[in-house]
Amino acid sequence: MKTGAWAGLALAVPLLLSGCKGFWDAPAASGSGGSGTTTESSGNFYVLNAATDEIAGQYVNQGKVTALSGSPYALPDTPLAMAIAPNGDFLYASTPSGIYLYTIGSGGQLTLATAGGPISSDAAASMQVDATNSWLVEAVSGTGEVFAIPINSSTGMATSSVEQHAVLPGSAIQQLAISPDDLRVFVAMGADGTAIVPFSSGNKNPFGTVSPIAVEGSGGAAISVAVDPLDRIFFIGETAATSGSNTGGLRAFDLSTMKEISGSPFPSQGLAPYWILPWSTGSYVYVVNRQVSGSSTGVIAGFSIGSASGVYSLTALGSTFAAGTHPVALAEDSTATFVFAVNYDGSPDLTGYTLDGANAGYLDQVVTAATGTDPVNATAIAATP
């Protein structure tokens, strides 16, 4: 089983990149992992289909992508983001008309709760449930605030109509992540950088005093955040953070000192590092780039994580791994066997990878699938823990 509450986070906010530096440059050369088939099976995962207002529930059954019972599940409005509680019992989906609660059955099937009404009117751009299953932490782009909704850990319902909040130093919310130890919330705020928000689940208002991290490069934007499951490193994905035609970068910070790791930012091999997936063992971190210079096709870059005398390091893997058209999110399944990527403009909607047996950390593409009747515009993916 995976560890760390970050596994249930998903975001669905497409970023316009036509003005990015290097957008019209020739594509950079990149390698790829192996491809083939598999007989492995995965845990359950869910994909937001923005064009059809649905949640697709799927899993890999001995190498074949298979729909969960009742899938796809209709949404009351266009999906924006979703989060799965660490206890695996609840899924939250945000829309322009609010946040909806779904219970997750023993077979993975979803049931809309609360008689079909939202538990909050917030149109959350990103959200995550804390490790105690007691708070749904979310942020709405344009508000300049992060909110915490108190929830019942047994039912998933909001226990109060009063939401706690903290004021952020920026309003263009892209993504948030809670550290696995439940002590910090990180919020990517585009050109305004990243906010660090102290968090304490036992308090009536769980938020502390906010501090910012500025973007690395002029004209850059923080668009993704993640924390490794061992609470050692937090990551920021930024545009315009490195040199060359593909200017996206992965920034890495030591959580104990809050100082940037030597060599950071690391080239993400694309223009827009949309999603960061730390592997559950803490050995690797993967970054999906929505596109590379001169192309709408994205790639996944991987890094091994090392430690010597308490000093952490990242080393780029010797290859990038092909994704579809405009990939936007990654998820690791509960068996720690698969990495799944969803592609906003398809080709295909879903791509599944397993770890290569010969090259440590490399990804082998083994399954592809549609997540609905195309075009679906898949915008997010979340896996049950």
Side-chain angles (χ1 to χ4, degrees), residues 6-36:
W6 52 266
L9 171 68
L11 169 73
V13 185
L15 180 71
L16 299 177
L17 293 173
S18 57
C20 285
K21 177 183 176 183
F23 181 78
W24 297 113
D25 297 342
S30 65
S32 63
S35 61

Side-chain angles (χ1 to χ4, degrees), residues 155-230:
T155 66
M157 295 287 295
T159 59
S160 171
S161 60
V162 178
E163 299 181 2
Q164 303 301 324
H165 69 102
V167 178
L168 301 172
S171 60
I173 307 302
Q174 303 295 312
Q175 195 178 95
L176 65 78
I178 307 174
S179 61
D181 61 9
D182 253 7
L183 295 181
R184 299 179 182 93
V185 176
F186 300 95
V187 186
M189 306 176 297
D192 292 312
T194 301
I196 305 173
V197 188
F199 184 82
S200 178
S201 60
N203 292 344
K204 182 178 180 181
N205 184 344
F207 296 128
T209 303
V210 179
S211 57
I213 297 176
V215 295
E216 173 70 19
S218 175
I223 57 176
S224 56
V225 284
V227 188
D228 96 290
L230 305 184

Side-chain angles (χ1 to χ4, degrees), residues 191-271:
D192 292 312
T194 301
I196 305 173
V197 188
F199 184 82
S200 178
S201 60
N203 292 344
K204 182 178 180 181
N205 184 344
F207 296 128
T209 303
V210 179
S211 57
I213 297 176
V215 295
E216 173 70 19
S218 175
I223 57 176
S224 56
V225 284
V227 188
D228 96 290
L230 305 184
D231 274 315
R232 303 166 303 174
I233 305 167
F234 77 91
F235 303 97
I236 306 171
E238 292 186 5
T239 64
T242 62
S243 60
S245 59
N246 286 301
T247 56
L250 176 68
R251 300 181 69 184
F253 295 78
D254 186 324
L255 262 177
S256 64
T257 64
M258 304 303 285
K259 293 183 179 179
E260 201 155 1
I261 290 172
S262 177
S264 177
F266 302 90
S268 68
Q269 307 304 324
L271 288 170

Side-chain angles (χ1 to χ4, degrees), residues 90-117:
F90 312 108
L91 181 149
Y92 298 89
S94 69
T95 74
S97 57
I99 300 171
Y100 294 87
L101 166 65
Y102 292 80
T103 59
I104 301 176
S106 58
Q109 68 274 15
L110 299 182
T111 302
L112 183 60
T114 67

Side-chain angles (χ1 to χ4, degrees), residues 280-371:
S280 56
T281 63
S283 300
Y284 306 102
V285 59
Y286 299 97
V287 184
V288 69
N289 295 274
R290 192 175 190 269
Q291 63 195 88
V292 298
S293 177
S295 173
S296 60
T297 301
V299 298
I300 301 171
F303 302 83
S304 61
I305 300 174
S307 176
S309 302
V311 177
Y312 302 115
S313 61
L314 265 64
T315 303
L317 301 180
S319 176
T320 57
F321 314 104
T325 305
H326 293 145
V328 291
L330 298 173
E332 178 187 347
D333 87 300
S334 60
T335 70
T337 301
F338 289 86
V339 171
F340 295 107
V342 289
N343 305 296
Y344 182 77
D345 287 312
S347 304
D349 301 331
L350 174 80
T351 307
Y353 311 80
T354 56
L355 292 182
D356 187 90
N359 299 293
Y362 278 43
L363 299 178
D364 296 337
Q365 181 179 309
V366 292
V367 294
T368 61
T371 60

Side-chain angles (χ1 to χ4, degrees), residues 52-86:
T52 56
D53 297 348
E54 293 174 334
I55 303 173
Q58 298 179 318
Y59 70 107
V60 176
N61 181 16
Q62 296 184 346
K64 183 179 180 180
V65 178
T66 304
L68 294 172
S69 176
S71 177
Y73 309 99
L75 282 160
D77 203 345
T78 303
L80 298 175
M82 66 177 163
I84 295 177

